[in-house]
Amino acid sequence: GENVEQHPSTLSVQEGDSAVIKCTYSDSASNYFPWYKQELGKRPQLIIDIRSNVGEKKDQRIAVTLNKTAKHFSLHITETQPEDSAVYFCAALGSGNTGKLIFGQGTTLQVKP
Amino acid sequence: DAGVIQSPRHEVTEMGQEVTLRCKPISGHNSLFWYRQTMMRGLELLIYFNNNVPIDDSGMPEDRFSAKMPNASFSTLKIQPSEPRDSAVYFCASSRQGGGNTIYFGEGSWLTVV
């Protein structure tokens, strides 16, 4: 079935450094890949997304890259700040254009001041 | 917009009791999702609806779980009877119909079954 693998499960960086989280997906028909940030005790919130017709998208300090051939996509956070500390989830839209998102297991990012 | 509204926010119940979680999606959204989040299993899709019709309930763990969407502005997730392993955060989410539309999550219902 559809599957999304996310790595690493935990990531610790110094403030100002970059952080990279990687995901792979199994359904070659997937064409939409959002990233969600979840702070402790809060709901997941969309931070950036990418569609299959582009290879890269950037929004200030965050960027996402997509390699459809290899079926993987990555989140890049530059100049990390303590408030970036959270759990990050990647997701891939299941085939059939039904809106069914399959989530990765999440990455706990800790930014040390 | 008030966003996706869920109730109750927190519930503690005894094993064997019935639990009903409620959700009001964002107005104009016609896709609704129920997710369960635990440390062990992460975010799991339980069921989703398009235009009030259940499309995929393959994630519903067992017959003790049921979900309904009687109209476009209300959905329920029911667990009967509840068990301690059902303890989790249950998120309702909604989006405009069709793939590639942003899914917005509610605040979640924190369920503890003792």
Side-chain angles (χ1 to χ4, degrees):
Chain A
E2 301 147 341
N3 189 46
V4 176
E5 295 287 335
Q6 182 172 347
H7 300 282
S9 57
T10 60
L11 180 60
S12 181
V13 299
Q14 287 295 133
E15 181 177 1
D17 287 350
S18 296
V20 180
I21 303 170
K22 298 181 180 181
C23 289
T24 59
Y25 59 98
S26 60
D27 187 351
S28 57
S30 293
N31 58 11
Y32 174 65
F33 308 91
W35 286 86
Y36 284 79
K37 175 184 180 182
Q38 186 178 26
E39 297 176 348
L40 190 62
K42 301 286 184 66
R43 74 183 96 184
Q45 292 191 294
L46 181 75
I47 54 171
I48 194 168
D49 57 15
I50 191 167
R51 299 176 195 277
S52 59
N53 56 345
V54 297
E56 184 173 358
K57 184 177 179 180
K58 190 172 182 180
D59 183 4
Q60 299 183 340
R61 294 186 298 108
I62 60 174
V64 58
T65 58
L66 171 65
N67 183 327
K68 284 221 71 180
T69 302
K71 292 192 286 188
H72 66 69
F73 56 113
S74 301
L75 178 71
H76 304 251
I77 306 175
T78 58
E79 300 171 28
T80 53
Q81 301 167 2
E83 51 266 37
D84 294 330
S85 296
V87 179
Y88 291 81
F89 292 93
C90 63
L93 185 68
S95 58
N97 200 35
T98 56
K100 178 180 177 179
L101 274 183
I102 307 300
F103 282 86
Q105 288 293 342
T107 296
T108 300
L109 173 64
Q110 181 186 27
V111 180
K112 298 178 181 178
Chain B
D1 197 314
V4 177
I5 299 173
Q6 292 186 244
S7 65
R9 291 294 316 281
H10 299 272
E11 172 121 357
V12 180
T13 190
E14 291 186 344
M15 182 173 62
Q17 296 297 306
E18 178 179 291
V19 173
T20 299
L21 308 179
R22 298 172 178 81
C23 177
K24 181 181 187 310
I26 293 172
S27 178
H29 284 188
N30 42 18
S31 292
L32 183 140
F33 309 84
W34 282 101
Y35 284 90
R36 178 173 67 176
Q37 186 174 36
T38 61
M39 287 295 294
M40 292 298 295
R41 300 175 69 90
L43 267 170
E44 301 175 276
L45 178 64
L46 300 178
I47 186 171
Y48 72 98
F49 297 82
N50 280 347
N51 294 319
N52 314 338
V53 177
I55 302 300
D56 185 345
D57 65 354
S58 60
M60 295 287 262
E62 49 198 271
D63 292 345
R64 297 185 298 107
F65 285 68
S66 62
K68 294 181 179 179
M69 192 165 185
N71 58 62
S73 58
F74 184 66
S75 177
T76 60
L77 178 67
K78 186 175 293 187
I79 309 172
Q80 167 63 16
S82 58
E83 296 182 3
R85 61 193 169 118
D86 301 330
S87 298
V89 184
Y90 291 82
F91 286 104
C92 177
S94 72
S95 74
R96 298 189 189 281
Q97 187 174 347
N101 291 307
T102 301
I103 292 179
Y104 296 89
F105 284 80
E107 298 278 10
S109 291
W110 297 66
L111 174 66
T112 302
V113 183
V114 298

